[in-house]
Amino acid sequence: FDNLLPRIVTQCIRTFKAMLPITAWVYCTRVWKQYCPYLIRWHWTFLQTYDWLEQYFFKLAMRLSIYAWNLQRMGIYDRPAIIAVGLRCMLYLEFVFIFYALSHALFSQYFYVPFLTENTELHVGPRPKESIYSGGYTDWQEYNSRWKPYGLEGRQKSGLPKLWYGWFGKD
């Protein structure tokens, strides 16, 4: 018991620390949603969805950098330079996207990203228009009188979904 009990306690603490962010999100945005404003629930859920998707881009970048390092070790120097430029572009685009999202959150606005916004709104629902705490505009929700997920109301038979809804989501 001198070795077993401290290991069990340590493992339980590690597990609870790993589960704390998702548990806090579930309780604040799902269980106690009547006490949490829609703006905070929307941005927090968007961040959780983006974080889930971003891990795959990070793994891709790590694998590409390992591949480029192995190519350099073999004496091939032109392809690793192209891979490094591509990785820098990915990094800069991610930084611009995060800055764009943070500036919208700072000014209580919403923005539309085709996959992420639909999944976010499937979790938190449409913006309540009568609440003073709901923040900015969401024209992609008002595009049709009925709220439909995945932007199907903006599509023609052969066209792409509408991607731009004006500055600050006001068309």
Side-chain angles (χ1 to χ4, degrees):
F1 282 112
D2 289 340
N3 289 337
L4 184 64
L5 193 59
R7 285 184 184 177
I8 290 174
V9 169
T10 304
Q11 188 60 36
C12 287
I13 290 172
R14 283 184 191 160
T15 304
F16 289 133
K17 280 184 180 179
M19 290 172 41
L20 184 64
I22 194 76
T23 306
W25 171 75
V26 165
Y27 274 96
C28 290
T29 62
R30 293 297 190 99
V31 178
W32 301 320
K33 68 180 177 180
Q34 66 266 22
Y35 305 116
C36 185
Y38 180 80
L39 179 75
I40 293 171
R41 287 187 289 139
W42 192 91
H43 283 286
W44 199 353
T45 306
F46 187 90
L47 181 67
Q48 290 283 13
T49 309
Y50 177 70
D51 187 43
W52 174 80
L53 193 66
E54 182 193 26
Q55 69 181 336
Y56 297 109
F57 288 119
F58 181 73
K59 289 177 184 177
L60 174 71
M62 290 301 296
R63 288 180 181 181
L64 282 174
S65 63
I66 290 169
Y67 174 67
W69 182 78
N70 285 334
L71 285 176
Q72 280 185 334
R73 201 176 61 177
M74 291 188 304
I76 303 170
Y77 296 108
D78 55 344
R79 278 188 270 166
I82 294 170
I83 291 172
V85 169
L87 288 175
R88 276 194 205 106
C89 287
M90 271 179 47
L91 177 73
Y92 295 149
L93 285 175
E94 183 176 0
F95 176 74
V96 165
F97 176 73
I98 289 173
F99 183 74
Y100 178 74
L102 284 174
S103 63
H104 274 76
L106 181 67
F107 294 113
S108 299
Q109 298 295 323
Y110 305 99
F111 53 96
Y112 185 78
V113 178
F115 175 74
L116 299 173
T117 302
E118 285 103 8
N119 281 297
T120 298
E121 290 176 355
L122 283 174
H123 283 282
V124 296
R127 179 179 65 88
K129 292 158 192 62
E130 68 277 353
S131 174
I132 62 171
Y133 301 111
S134 66
Y137 300 104
T138 52
D139 266 0
W140 54 89
Q141 290 179 0
E142 286 99 22
Y143 199 66
N144 196 355
S145 60
R146 297 180 318 238
W147 181 71
K148 294 180 183 177
Y150 293 105
L152 295 176
E153 70 277 358
R155 292 188 185 175
Q156 288 80 25
K157 296 266 185 199
S158 62
L160 294 172
K162 187 175 179 181
L163 296 178
W164 179 250
Y165 287 91
W167 293 105
F168 300 116
K170 187 174 183 182
D171 202 6

